[in-house]
């Protein structure tokens, strides 16, 4: 993971799940992660090829200049990448394994390009609810201006996250303070 925000979100999710494959949605306390809420989203499995957005943070609205709730996940991707991104998201929902995407996007005007990370973190299925996952779209480096819309995303690479929070922290010595703030609140 390249960004502290991604590491914070993963560390929070990892602490909640403990020894389980995934935490329950009801265990997530928005107040504990309020500083990253604008970057977060929830996808729900509706039995189609593409999961749909249930909740989206304000930065996603700003990036795509539209509300994404109830929109298929495939709609934010370049046509050549939508099928792979949805297949992987469905795999996260089915197998409860966290994934990270490396993403590239270009502004609608074509004057700016930006790298992003996307986390897809499974949530344990709860009775009477379809499978869901917690996602985050984090720009790298952080965007200073959300004033312009971005074209659909390009999927560069995806990979399973199999490391513990401790091993991820060991790779990023600059991360300790942020993690303490995230999990101790």
């Amino acid at each position: 993971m390249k960004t502290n925000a991604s590491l914070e979100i993963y560390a929070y999710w990892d602490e909640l799940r403990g020894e389980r494959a995934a935490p329950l949605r009801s265990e997530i306390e928005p107040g504990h992660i309020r500083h990253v809420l604008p970057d977060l989203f929830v996808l729900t499995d509706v039995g189609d090829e593409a999961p749909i957005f249930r909740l989206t943070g304000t930065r996603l609205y700003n990036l795509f200049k539209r509300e994404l709730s109830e929109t298929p996940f495939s709609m934010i991707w370049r046509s050549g990448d939508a099928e792979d991104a949805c297949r992987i998201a469905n795999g996260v929902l089915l197998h409860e394994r966290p994934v990270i995407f490396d993403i590239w996007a270009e502004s609608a005007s074509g004057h700016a390009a930006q790298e992003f990370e996307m986390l897809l973190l499974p949530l344990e299925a709860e009775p009477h609810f379809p499978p869901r996952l917690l996602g985050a779209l984090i720009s790298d480096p952080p965007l200073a201006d959300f004033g312009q819309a971005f074209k659909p995303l390009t999927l560069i690479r995806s990979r399973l996250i199999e490391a513990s929070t401790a091993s991820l922290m060991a790779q990023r010595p600059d991360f300790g303070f942020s993690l303490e703030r995230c999990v101790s609140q």
Side-chain angles (χ1 to χ4, degrees), residues 110-184:
H111 291 29
Q114 182 71 38
E115 291 182 19
F116 293 88
E117 286 185 321
M118 180 180 284
L119 294 175
L120 300 178
L121 307 171
L123 298 172
E124 188 175 316
E126 297 182 67
H128 312 294
F129 290 98
R132 296 176 284 185
L133 66 78
L134 175 66
L137 182 63
I138 312 289
S139 59
D140 178 38
L143 282 174
D145 175 22
F146 285 94
Q148 56 183 317
F150 277 77
K151 294 178 183 178
L153 304 174
T154 300
L155 179 59
I156 303 300
R157 179 172 72 154
S158 68
R159 58 201 181 284
L160 288 172
I161 304 171
E162 300 189 79
S164 68
T165 300
S167 66
L168 291 172
M169 285 176 49
Q171 297 170 25
R172 295 280 311 273
D174 63 323
F175 180 63
F177 174 75
S178 298
L179 177 65
E180 288 175 20
R181 184 183 68 211
C182 177
V183 296
S184 66

Side-chain angles (χ1 to χ4, degrees), residues 23-127:
L24 295 167
R25 162 56 191 100
S26 58
E27 293 176 301
I28 296 173
E29 292 291 335
H32 290 190
I33 52 174
R34 68 180 158 273
H35 59 288
V36 294
L37 286 176
D39 301 311
L40 300 181
F41 59 88
V42 174
L43 291 179
T44 300
D45 181 5
V46 292
D48 292 334
E49 291 180 15
I52 63 165
F53 287 100
R54 277 289 175 227
L55 300 169
T56 58
T58 54
R59 287 205 186 104
L60 276 82
Y61 175 85
N62 290 337
L63 286 173
F64 298 102
K65 297 298 183 215
R66 63 187 176 120
E67 177 58 55
L68 294 174
S69 292
E70 306 303 319
T71 302
F73 185 55
S74 58
M75 298 302 291
I76 66 168
W77 297 95
R78 219 174 41 96
S79 61
D81 294 321
E83 184 178 336
D84 286 340
C86 290
R87 181 180 47 77
I88 294 165
N90 283 326
V92 171
L93 289 162
L94 179 65
H95 301 291
E96 294 187 331
R97 302 278 309 271
V99 169
I100 189 166
F101 290 162
D102 293 333
I103 297 168
W104 182 86
E106 183 179 28
S107 65
S109 67
H111 291 29
Q114 182 71 38
E115 291 182 19
F116 293 88
E117 286 185 321
M118 180 180 284
L119 294 175
L120 300 178
L121 307 171
L123 298 172
E124 188 175 316
E126 297 182 67

